[in-house]
Amino acid sequence: MKKIFSVFLMVAVLLGLVACASGNALVTGTQRPATNPESVVIYTEAPEKYEVIGIVNASSDATGSAQTDLNYAVAELKKQAAKIGANGIILQDVSSSSGDGILIGNVLVYEDKQKVSGKAIYVFGKE
């Protein structure tokens, strides 16, 4: 019975470690109709003519590489921006943090969390 429980626990932990991203959006300007997340452009500097729609945040705590986790977080950031009608995001912060370790068998796996945030914007002239 103890072995079955151990296997069940291990499977549950592994399922919990699959890519998981979450995010939110705070509307601070005029919300627009939703856009396609794939068309949202990430900017490191403000484009020439734009309007701020809101602030978006996202994080990913998958157990892949830091780059994979960051990719999931950026995809979620785009989804959040698209929901409020943005066609661009001015990236403001990219950070990572280490969470608690999880013991899987005899291996200690640390959960890293990648976080991204920015201004959700509508760029004029991209229609």
Side-chain angles (χ1 to χ4, degrees), residues 1 12 19 52 54 58 94 112 123:
M1 185 70 167
V52 176
V94 177
D112 289 330
V123 181

Side-chain angles (χ1 to χ4, degrees), residues 30-113:
T30 303
Q31 185 168 348
R32 295 175 172 272
T35 61
N36 181 348
E38 293 175 6
S39 66
V40 175
V41 176
I42 302 288
Y43 296 91
T44 54
E45 294 181 19
E48 191 171 313
K49 191 173 178 187
Y50 69 95
E51 171 183 293
V52 176
I53 297 174
I55 299 170
V56 287
N57 300 289
S59 65
S60 173
D61 55 2
T63 60
S65 69
Q67 184 62 54
T68 300
D69 293 350
L70 184 59
N71 292 346
Y72 282 119
V74 168
E76 181 63 28
L77 194 70
K78 287 181 171 187
K79 285 181 193 174
Q80 294 299 324
K83 284 182 188 177
I84 60 174
N87 62 3
I89 299 168
I90 301 173
L91 198 59
Q92 292 183 301
D93 186 46
V94 177
S95 62
S96 63
S97 61
S98 291
D100 295 331
I102 301 170
L103 190 61
I104 302 176
N106 292 331
V107 178
L108 186 59
V109 178
Y110 287 96
E111 180 181 69
D112 289 330
K113 183 174 257 188

Side-chain angles (χ1 to χ4, degrees), residues 11-26:
V11 169
V13 168
L14 289 175
L15 287 175
L17 296 176
V18 201
C20 180
S22 62
N24 60 51
L26 172 65

